[in-house]
Amino acid sequence: MMIKKFFTFSLALSLSACGSDSAKQSQLPSDVAPGTTQNIILMVGDGMGLTQISAAIEEHSRKLEMERFQVVGLSKTRSAKEQITDSAAGATAFSTGVKTYNGAIGVDQHGRARETILELLGNKGYATGLIATSVITHATPASFYAHEDSRQNYYQIAADMKKAPLDLFIGGGRKHFENRTDPNNGKTDDRNLIEEMQTSGFSFVNSLAELRKAKGKVGYFLADGHPDPILKGRGDILPRSIPTAISHLRSRTERGFFLMVEGSQIDWGGHENKIDYVISELIDFDEAVGKALDYAEANGNTLVIVTADHETGGLTLAGEPGEDGKTSYTKAGRQFASHGHTSAMVPVFAYGPGSELFAGVYDNNEIHAKMMQALALDK
Ligand SMILES: [Zn+2]
């Protein structure tokens, strides 16, 4: 009953969005019916649990973009071998549909490479993209294009990108592609992956303005290593990159696109137990969510999913009784119980055709199955 209600609601939204934007709708290939899932934008707030979102709601001057969602589910995050997952196993569950061991990048618990949704869709002719506010070789984005038994294999992960059907990336990590020094052993090599990728059709840009003019496959390094945190001046590149990335993916093909976006540093604020770091990164990620929702509302055939790989820090939002006898939320009550990840379930928000599949309580790897089902590729 509940599911039917969600379905009716999301379908109604999709149809009304179609009606209000006939120009964009007319760009759809003629064989794509309105209200079917053609594009997926999967957005991962690393370390973003319900208390992180609640803290941002309390702090932010207006409603969070995430409050626009009508369909909400809960994801059980444990990995195949551990009760508390890391980002590699978490992202591999989303990308391949299998739970694996912590540290695994695109491989199952026996170390076997598993095709990722990005590879599957890319090989079927969809345009594919990745955006992250960490190095693009970090666990979450890497798990969509690389197959390595350890997330620490940055050298090999970068080389794996060359083999993937990837049309666009935006993130840090130029140092893993040229002037390379292997972080595992300090050895340098002569391999220049940027030149190698240029030979195989990639171009590299240094701004969104350049990206708007670029044709073909394109990479945009935001930094040599990790991009700065918001509090140290990164600016709003993450939300601003969303519309540009979407238009680029759409210019590649009419077939459809898959875009994964990670707000990478919410997790790092949690590890450092710095609430301002968490909230500033979460609000930046939320702005990006708003851009994706704006597009999906206008387009009508785009499924947007926002979730997390795990909660980080065991954040609590405790209150204290005030003089009026009412218990209030206090900034001093924002305490972390841990410097690591926790096993708390994390929310899943969904909008667009297929969003009704994401209501309920389920394991993180089922998000992969639900995306495949939404695209009618589960048979
Ligand atoms: Zn973490």
PDB file of all heavy atoms in Angstrom, residues 46 87 267 271 310 312 341, ligand 1:
ATOM      1  N   ASP A  46      29.878  10.757   2.074  1.00  0.00           N
ATOM      2  CA  ASP A  46      30.704   9.812   2.832  1.00  0.00           C
ATOM      3  C   ASP A  46      30.613  10.141   4.325  1.00  0.00           C
ATOM      4  O   ASP A  46      30.851  11.274   4.731  1.00  0.00           O
ATOM      5  CB  ASP A  46      32.157   9.896   2.348  1.00  0.00           C
ATOM      6  CG  ASP A  46      32.949   8.656   2.721  1.00  0.00           C
ATOM      7  OD1 ASP A  46      32.954   8.270   3.907  1.00  0.00           O
ATOM      8  OD2 ASP A  46      33.567   8.070   1.809  1.00  0.00           O
ATOM      9  N   SER A  87      34.822   2.748   3.385  1.00  0.00           N
ATOM     10  CA  SER A  87      34.247   3.338   2.170  1.00  0.00           C
ATOM     11  C   SER A  87      34.451   2.449   0.946  1.00  0.00           C
ATOM     12  O   SER A  87      33.645   2.488   0.018  1.00  0.00           O
ATOM     13  CB  SER A  87      34.869   4.704   1.899  1.00  0.00           C
ATOM     14  OG  SER A  87      34.568   5.570   2.952  1.00  0.00           O
ATOM     15  N   ASP A 267      33.015  12.733   5.907  1.00  0.00           N
ATOM     16  CA  ASP A 267      33.664  11.645   6.647  1.00  0.00           C
ATOM     17  C   ASP A 267      34.917  12.116   7.391  1.00  0.00           C
ATOM     18  O   ASP A 267      35.158  11.714   8.527  1.00  0.00           O
ATOM     19  CB  ASP A 267      34.035  10.554   5.634  1.00  0.00           C
ATOM     20  CG  ASP A 267      34.827   9.412   6.222  1.00  0.00           C
ATOM     21  OD1 ASP A 267      34.292   8.714   7.096  1.00  0.00           O
ATOM     22  OD2 ASP A 267      35.983   9.211   5.799  1.00  0.00           O
ATOM     23  N   HIS A 271      35.938  11.850  11.276  1.00  0.00           N
ATOM     24  CA  HIS A 271      37.163  11.233  11.817  1.00  0.00           C
ATOM     25  C   HIS A 271      37.895  12.190  12.755  1.00  0.00           C
ATOM     26  O   HIS A 271      38.461  11.774  13.754  1.00  0.00           O
ATOM     27  CB  HIS A 271      38.103  10.821  10.678  1.00  0.00           C
ATOM     28  CG  HIS A 271      37.685   9.564   9.965  1.00  0.00           C
ATOM     29  ND1 HIS A 271      37.664   8.341  10.590  1.00  0.00           N
ATOM     30  CD2 HIS A 271      37.266   9.353   8.696  1.00  0.00           C
ATOM     31  CE1 HIS A 271      37.255   7.418   9.714  1.00  0.00           C
ATOM     32  NE2 HIS A 271      36.998   8.005   8.568  1.00  0.00           N
ATOM     33  N   HIS A 310      28.347   4.944   5.223  1.00  0.00           N
ATOM     34  CA  HIS A 310      28.320   4.629   6.658  1.00  0.00           C
ATOM     35  C   HIS A 310      28.263   5.938   7.415  1.00  0.00           C
ATOM     36  O   HIS A 310      28.470   7.003   6.827  1.00  0.00           O
ATOM     37  CB  HIS A 310      29.585   3.860   7.076  1.00  0.00           C
ATOM     38  CG  HIS A 310      30.841   4.547   6.615  1.00  0.00           C
ATOM     39  ND1 HIS A 310      31.305   5.700   7.199  1.00  0.00           N
ATOM     40  CD2 HIS A 310      31.678   4.287   5.576  1.00  0.00           C
ATOM     41  CE1 HIS A 310      32.385   6.098   6.559  1.00  0.00           C
ATOM     42  NE2 HIS A 310      32.640   5.270   5.549  1.00  0.00           N
ATOM     43  N   THR A 312      30.002   8.305  10.359  1.00  0.00           N
ATOM     44  CA  THR A 312      31.358   8.441  10.913  1.00  0.00           C
ATOM     45  C   THR A 312      31.335   9.280  12.182  1.00  0.00           C
ATOM     46  O   THR A 312      30.817  10.394  12.182  1.00  0.00           O
ATOM     47  CB  THR A 312      32.309   9.102   9.888  1.00  0.00           C
ATOM     48  OG1 THR A 312      32.289   8.357   8.680  1.00  0.00           O
ATOM     49  CG2 THR A 312      33.738   9.150  10.431  1.00  0.00           C
ATOM     50  N   HIS A 341      34.305   4.811  11.973  1.00  0.00           N
ATOM     51  CA  HIS A 341      32.964   4.618  11.422  1.00  0.00           C
ATOM     52  C   HIS A 341      32.105   3.882  12.443  1.00  0.00           C
ATOM     53  O   HIS A 341      32.625   3.247  13.350  1.00  0.00           O
ATOM     54  CB  HIS A 341      33.030   3.787  10.134  1.00  0.00           C
ATOM     55  CG  HIS A 341      33.919   4.372   9.095  1.00  0.00           C
ATOM     56  ND1 HIS A 341      34.399   3.654   8.022  1.00  0.00           N
ATOM     57  CD2 HIS A 341      34.439   5.628   8.969  1.00  0.00           C
ATOM     58  CE1 HIS A 341      35.160   4.439   7.272  1.00  0.00           C
ATOM     59  NE2 HIS A 341      35.197   5.630   7.826  1.00  0.00           N
TER      60      HIS A 341
HETATM   61 ZN    ZN B   1      36.097   7.225   6.813  1.00  0.00          ZN
END
